Amino acid sequence: MYLLPPSQIMTVKSDFVTILSKDADFMTLCQTLQVTDEVCDRAWTIWKAVQASVDKVLDTQKRLWAACLFVAVIDLEVASFTFTQILKAVDLNVKQFLGLLKKMDVNLDTISTKVNSAVTRLEKKYDVSRALYQRFEKCVGVSGKEILRSCWTMFLLAKGGALQMEDDLVISFHLMVCVLEFFIRRCPPSLLQPHYQSVISTAQSPPTRTSRRNQSKAKPRQAPPEVDVQLLESLCKENDCSVEEVHTTFRSQSPSPCLDLLLTFQATDLSKQYEELYFKSRDFDSRLFLDNDETLLTPKVELAAMNSIAQLRVDLITSGDQPSANLAVYFKNCTVDPTEEVLQRVESLGLLFSQRFGQAVGPRCVGLGKQRFTLGIRLYYRVMESMLKSEEKRLSVQNFSKLLNDSTFHTSLLACALEVVMATYGGEILQNGGVPVETDLCFPWILDVFQLTAFDFYKVIESFIKAEPSLNKDMVKHLERCEHLIMETIAWREDSPLFELLKRTREEGPVEQAEPPATLNQPLQHNHTAADLYLSPVRPSSRTLPAPESTAPPSSQPSALATHQTPRHPKSNSLSLFYKKLYRLAYMRLKMLYTQLLTSHPELEPIMWTLFQHTLQNEYELMRDRHLDQLMMSAMYAICKVKNVDLRFKTIVTAYKNMPNTNQETFKHVLIREGQYDSIIVFYNLVFMQKLKTNILQYASPRPPTLSPIPHIPRSPYKFPNSPLRVPGSNNVYISPMKSPTRMSPVMTPRTRPTSDKFQKINAMVNSSDRSLKRSLDMSSAPKPLKRLRFDVEGQDEADESKPAEDSRLIQKLAEIGTFVSGFT
């Protein structure tokens, strides 16, 4: 009799127990989806971990088992069921299943980076496909179910074959227009809608008798054109897209690669071809949109990108591809004329942009990249001219030689213009409940293309927004989000010049702070323009420069870090402003998280902020290749530990996931040491705590460190002039700021002029209100948990209850306005 060694006996016993412990229904699900034993075992292990981590089951067991199987297949990288097959097995649609996966990640380690990437890709592709199909339903010009199915299937095949990046909404839509043109042109006239019948008949009208006689004597008849231009123009007009862009992208070459691809598909079994593509990708079956299949049903969304693109093209229609006459004058007024370098730089960056665009989207889309670059160039020249006019007015000079010969300034300005164009074309806004759709061309893609550092790019954002009034509210928010991303993580990459600036600042002693703590509770006010920031020295010499902002600490809050009386050189404007914005963003994020978790401990907020601010200012190396929120969560946990407040890291992370603009990689994938990454908890224990242990323990001593002032959090510096202001104490009374006189305004008539004059008086009354009183209302000496928030004209938060008595003066002023308005309404 053969006896197994004890170790093998234990292994066999363990496997046998595992098999016996699996639920019979779970095994049935595994058999239905035809998964391997390895996947089955891994999924069951994940299920047991999830089961042990939650107080109650989030959904039916079968659905959670399916989610565990999906995670296991992705982690093990094995070919198994398709996404549609698992959805049908548990009766869920795409959004429901992806939502279940996110809820299931309660223990922070259920969903790996690999799974998260797969989920993100699926969600992107689904959102784009859903939006495209809804537009397909509206614009398809043929009848007959089978023809519709063939047309949609051919588009899916073309998208899979022609595009490397299938989640680009606009390019995919342009391809769909080409497929529709291809199909409609080849359909029997009886199956076409009347409109398309007339377009086709006009384009293909039979020749006259005279022309037939001439044809017999002429050369042999030429083959029909590859594209019906009139039909293509009609389709583009109906769908608010540019025929030039569609034609350039897919039909400009001869012979057309796109046409060759479509002709290839036409000669094959489309359904069989798509089956191969579908099982290769193993995601959802997009043909099911045609059947209104429940796995793909969600509330309808509308494409908003087309309207934004059309508006962008209209805004730039009067701008040229070359410097305007005004810009040429500014160039010639320079000590060193930058014209030649500007044009050479634009040409070289244009070639680079088009090449990288083609690599990201597909080689057939290089022409489209050139078109987008052209729009970016127009915006670049227009904003540059606007900036220079503002600088001329501000400084009363016309020679901007140093700025206009600064290559980094030009590259940053052009990158910002292109980011506006790319974000507009990205279709990032889907209306009616849609979600932003990110693609591989999203920020910071443009920085990588131009090899531009994020710290240099940040310098131009605010001036760009102020110089370009045509930017809509969503685009302003997008650029502000780019600025936040820079401050949160991108500017802290290993090769960032930010670290060299901070190092040089520290080497010259503590007399110069990146941002003196004593200024934190002052409003963020500055007059720095892009010119100031790009020409700001790394470390100023003793030459005369504009005086820095006052940094004297208030007498009520002495700070050991700001009491030096040694004469200072002026600050590096770019570094100083960066840190001002960084501190305000950092505190805003901390406040948001603190409000979710610790409102019962108001005394801890200023202590947490002091540690967080100290870390950013004095231990900035901890930010290298890391994220601002990683230090924020670590500071919160550290103070709770030292103050004996029971708050687990798991609780912090769970609340963090509910904050806006967060990513699970922030707490799952943290740099520990070079090349090694782990969770936020490991980072805290091995890095954060080791570096700051002495400082953290001081907060438990009888003489803790001096608290840092709470930053003043202003409204976004990028004001939206059309946003109305609700009058306090009223439910439906709003005051909208007057539009700039440079914008289009209605023509005054004798009947309307008196009303306009009264509104002018209202504005004068508002502007005459006591501004110092308003500021005192905006700033509270101690932060309080806010039950309900509203936003005043500057955007600061204030509680609805317990308003100071001085508030009555402002309310009285607004009441007077209300009485005044009622006189003519």
Side-chain angles (χ1 to χ4, degrees):
M1 182 178 180
Y2 177 71
L3 296 177
L4 289 172
S7 60
Q8 293 188 24
I9 292 175
M10 292 299 296
T11 302
V12 172
K13 181 179 179 181
S14 175
D15 291 343
F16 184 67
V17 170
T18 301
I19 292 172
L20 287 179
S21 64
K22 291 190 178 94
D23 191 287
D25 291 335
F26 173 80
M27 296 302 297
T28 301
L29 179 62
C30 291
Q31 291 168 5
T32 301
L33 295 171
Q34 300 180 346
V35 299
T36 63
D37 291 343
E38 183 184 21
V39 170
C40 182
D41 292 342
R42 179 67 170 269
W44 187 254
T45 301
I46 295 171
W47 159 244
K48 298 306 288 185
V50 170
Q51 195 178 34
S53 302
V54 295
D55 298 328
K56 60 179 181 178
V57 176
L58 302 170
D59 209 307
T60 63
Q61 281 192 348
K62 185 177 181 181
R63 289 175 173 175
L64 283 170
W65 289 338
C68 293
L69 285 166
F70 177 83
V71 171
V73 165
I74 301 297
D75 275 335
L76 294 173
E77 296 182 347
V78 296
S80 188
F81 47 79
T82 68
F83 191 48
T84 293
Q85 286 173 337
I86 200 168
L87 293 177
K88 287 187 171 295
V90 291
D91 295 323
L92 287 176
N93 64 39
V94 173
K95 291 294 187 180
Q96 290 170 335
F97 189 85
L98 296 180
L100 180 61
L101 279 171
K102 294 172 183 177
K103 290 179 182 178
M104 197 175 73
D105 192 23
V106 293
N107 209 34
L108 313 183
D109 55 2
T110 306
I111 306 298
S112 65
T113 301
K114 194 184 301 181
V115 174
N116 185 56
S117 297
V119 168
T120 302
R121 183 192 65 81
L122 270 172
E123 195 160 20
K124 286 180 188 177
K125 187 174 180 180
Y126 172 76
D127 287 332
V128 170
S129 299
R130 177 72 173 159
L132 288 169
Y133 181 72
Q134 289 171 6
R135 184 57 68 98
F136 174 82
E137 284 184 304
K138 292 181 179 179
C139 66
V140 65
V142 296
S143 58
K145 189 173 182 180
E146 287 306 313
I147 293 181
L148 288 175
R149 182 173 296 275
S150 296
C151 186
W152 175 247
T153 306
M154 180 177 282
F155 163 65
L156 296 176
L157 285 168
K159 186 159 72 83
L163 302 181
Q164 292 172 201
M165 195 173 68
E166 294 186 61
D167 54 8
D168 189 294
L169 186 63
V170 176
I171 296 178
S172 297
F173 183 71
H174 288 169
L175 177 60
M176 187 171 78
V177 171
C178 287
V179 173
L180 285 170
E181 184 273 334
F182 179 89
F183 237 87
I184 291 173
R185 187 152 53 99
R186 286 162 174 77
C187 269
S190 60
L191 296 177
L192 295 178
Q193 293 178 2
H195 169 67
Y196 292 115
Q197 287 181 5
S198 61
V199 172
I200 294 292
S201 62
T202 302
Q204 300 179 355
S205 56
T208 63
R209 182 175 302 175
T210 304
S211 64
R212 287 197 198 102
R213 190 181 306 121
N214 292 337
Q215 282 179 0
S216 63
K217 301 177 182 179
K219 297 178 182 179
R221 186 175 180 180
Q222 295 181 349
E226 291 185 350
V227 60
D228 186 329
V229 177
Q230 189 172 348
L231 175 58
L232 189 63
E233 287 177 349
S234 178
L235 285 166
C236 290
K237 184 178 180 180
E238 288 181 5
N239 291 285
D240 299 320
C241 61
S242 164
V243 66
E244 179 188 0
E245 290 183 356
V246 174
H247 193 271
T248 299
T249 307
F250 297 108
R251 293 297 182 84
S252 58
Q253 302 177 49
S254 184
S256 168
C258 180
L259 181 63
D260 291 344
L261 191 66
L262 296 177
L263 289 171
T264 301
F265 292 144
Q266 189 183 31
T268 61
D269 184 335
L270 293 176
S271 183
K272 184 177 181 181
Q273 282 271 86
Y274 184 77
E275 288 279 340
E276 294 177 5
L277 182 66
Y278 163 57
F279 283 108
K280 182 180 179 180
S281 66
R282 314 204 75 80
D283 51 28
F284 54 88
D285 187 346
S286 295
R287 294 172 301 179
L288 296 179
F289 282 118
L290 293 160
D291 305 323
N292 291 321
D293 191 90
E294 291 185 357
T295 61
L296 298 179
L297 289 181
T298 58
K300 288 192 175 183
V301 297
E302 292 295 334
L303 284 170
M306 295 306 167
N307 293 333
S308 301
I309 292 166
Q311 185 60 51
L312 178 67
R313 296 176 71 88
V314 168
D315 290 340
L316 296 177
I317 198 168
T318 58
S319 302
D321 304 346
Q322 299 292 319
S324 66
N326 289 336
L327 261 185
V329 171
Y330 280 118
F331 290 170
K332 289 178 181 178
N333 286 337
C334 292
T335 307
V336 178
D337 190 335
T339 304
E340 186 175 348
E341 283 197 11
V342 167
L343 296 177
Q344 288 177 352
R345 185 184 301 108
V346 164
E347 183 179 3
S348 62
L349 291 179
L351 292 173
L352 177 62
F353 179 88
S354 300
Q355 178 187 10
R356 291 290 298 273
F357 187 92
Q359 291 174 0
V361 182
R364 296 182 177 89
C365 299
V366 171
L368 183 58
K370 292 178 181 177
Q371 286 190 338
R372 295 192 185 180
F373 187 81
T374 299
L375 286 176
I377 285 298
R378 292 177 179 177
L379 187 57
Y380 158 71
Y381 284 136
R382 187 165 85 174
V383 173
M384 189 195 309
E385 182 178 336
S386 178
M387 283 182 175
L388 293 175
K389 285 180 180 178
S390 297
E391 288 294 283
E392 180 182 1
K393 184 177 180 180
R394 183 173 75 102
L395 302 174
S396 299
V397 297
Q398 294 180 333
N399 185 344
F400 299 104
S401 186
K402 191 171 182 181
L403 176 67
L404 292 177
N405 282 281
D406 188 304
S407 176
T408 304
F409 163 71
H410 284 287
T411 306
S412 301
L413 184 60
L414 177 55
C416 196
L418 285 167
E419 179 59 32
V420 169
V421 173
M422 298 300 287
T424 302
Y425 273 86
E428 296 188 10
I429 305 155
L430 296 174
Q431 295 176 339
N432 300 335
V435 295
V437 178
E438 295 183 355
T439 71
D440 293 339
L441 301 179
C442 286
F443 188 80
W445 179 82
I446 191 64
L447 302 187
D448 296 330
V449 172
F450 287 170
Q451 293 295 291
L452 183 66
T453 69
F455 183 71
D456 284 326
F457 182 79
Y458 114 87
K459 300 174 189 177
V460 83
I461 295 176
E462 187 170 338
S463 291
F464 188 101
I465 292 172
K466 291 177 178 177
E468 183 47 53
S470 71
L471 295 178
N472 61 35
K473 186 174 181 178
D474 292 314
M475 190 52 61
V476 171
K477 286 183 176 180
H478 172 74
L479 289 178
E480 187 174 16
R481 178 60 193 145
C482 292
E483 186 178 68
H484 287 180
L485 283 171
I486 289 171
M487 292 186 287
E488 289 169 4
T489 182
I490 307 174
W492 303 98
R493 287 176 177 174
E494 174 66 32
D495 58 350
S496 173
L498 181 58
F499 293 103
E500 181 63 24
L501 287 175
L502 289 167
K503 181 182 177 183
R504 294 187 186 184
T505 300
R506 171 168 287 186
E507 286 174 351
E508 294 201 15
V511 295
E512 177 73 56
Q513 303 291 339
E515 164 71 349
T519 67
L520 290 177
N521 57 3
Q522 300 173 9
L524 180 55
Q525 295 177 349
H526 70 90
N527 295 317
H528 300 316
T529 63
D532 296 327
L533 302 183
Y534 283 100
L535 302 181
S536 174
V538 172
R539 185 65 181 171
S541 63
S542 58
R543 61 194 173 98
T544 304
L545 288 173
E549 299 176 49
S550 171
T551 57
S555 57
S556 59
Q557 291 232 350
S559 172
L561 298 175
T563 56
H564 297 275
Q565 301 301 317
T566 307
R568 302 179 182 181
H569 294 309
K571 298 177 182 179
S572 170
N573 291 332
S574 58
L575 181 60
S576 175
L577 182 60
F578 180 85
Y579 256 80
K580 285 175 189 245
K581 292 187 174 185
L582 173 69
Y583 283 160
R584 285 158 175 80
L585 175 64
Y587 175 71
M588 185 174 65
R589 303 286 290 169
L590 177 66
K591 177 73 174 178
M592 200 177 300
L593 186 60
Y594 165 86
T595 302
Q596 290 190 58
L597 296 169
L598 292 163
T599 51
S600 59
H601 295 277
E603 74 283 358
L604 296 184
E605 182 193 353
I607 302 175
M608 291 174 180
W609 167 242
T610 301
L611 175 60
F612 192 13
Q613 186 266 332
H614 166 84
T615 307
L616 291 172
Q617 181 163 322
N618 299 290
E619 303 295 345
Y620 53 81
E621 280 291 335
L622 287 175
M623 280 295 297
R624 192 181 292 270
D625 282 336
R626 295 192 179 99
H627 194 289
L628 180 69
D629 291 348
Q630 293 164 356
L631 270 61
M632 172 190 71
M633 289 185 278
S634 296
M636 175 174 282
Y637 183 73
I639 295 303
C640 285
K641 290 288 286 185
V642 81
K643 291 295 186 180
N644 296 318
V645 174
D646 184 20
L647 182 66
R648 300 180 181 181
F649 233 128
K650 177 180 174 181
T651 306
I652 293 175
V653 171
T654 301
Y656 174 76
K657 290 195 294 185
N658 294 326
M659 289 172 58
N661 303 317
T662 59
N663 189 306
Q664 67 169 353
E665 296 301 295
T666 305
F667 53 82
K668 287 188 174 182
H669 195 70
V670 189
L671 178 66
I672 307 302
R673 56 181 63 90
E674 186 176 357
Q676 180 186 349
Y677 293 82
D678 214 310
S679 70
I680 184 73
I681 301 172
V682 176
F683 165 74
Y684 174 83
N685 288 326
L686 298 185
V687 181
F688 189 87
M689 185 62 183
Q690 301 304 318
K691 189 72 174 178
L692 290 159
K693 187 174 183 178
T694 303
N695 185 274
I696 292 170
L697 292 177
Q698 289 178 3
Y699 294 99
S701 68
R703 300 183 63 183
T706 303
L707 297 180
S708 296
I710 296 296
H712 178 94
I713 305 298
R715 176 201 149 161
S716 161
Y718 315 121
K719 297 185 178 181
F720 310 122
N722 294 326
S723 300
L725 161 68
R726 182 173 67 85
V727 175
S730 69
N731 292 326
N732 56 359
V733 179
Y734 293 84
I735 299 176
S736 295
M738 282 193 68
K739 295 182 179 180
S740 167
T742 60
R743 294 179 181 266
M744 185 177 295
S745 57
V747 178
M748 289 290 105
T749 66
R751 181 182 180 88
T752 59
R753 188 173 298 280
T755 303
S756 175
D757 292 340
K758 291 183 179 182
F759 277 117
Q760 294 280 7
K761 292 179 181 178
I762 291 175
N763 280 312
M765 190 178 295
V766 172
N767 291 332
S768 67
S769 63
D770 189 347
R771 296 184 184 276
S772 62
L773 166 64
K774 181 182 171 300
R775 284 197 296 270
S776 69
L777 293 177
D778 291 341
M779 297 171 57
S780 56
S781 56
K784 299 176 182 178
L786 303 179
K787 294 183 179 179
R788 291 181 60 202
L789 299 179
R790 69 173 184 269
F791 300 97
D792 63 16
V793 72
E794 295 297 327
Q796 286 83 17
D797 301 336
E798 76 177 7
D800 276 350
E801 54 189 343
S802 305
K803 288 190 281 283
E806 296 92 335
D807 198 5
S808 59
R809 291 174 58 189
L810 182 59
I811 298 299
Q812 181 181 357
K813 183 72 70 175
L814 291 168
E816 293 173 8
I817 294 172
T819 303
F820 190 79
V821 171
S822 65
F824 60 88
T825 55

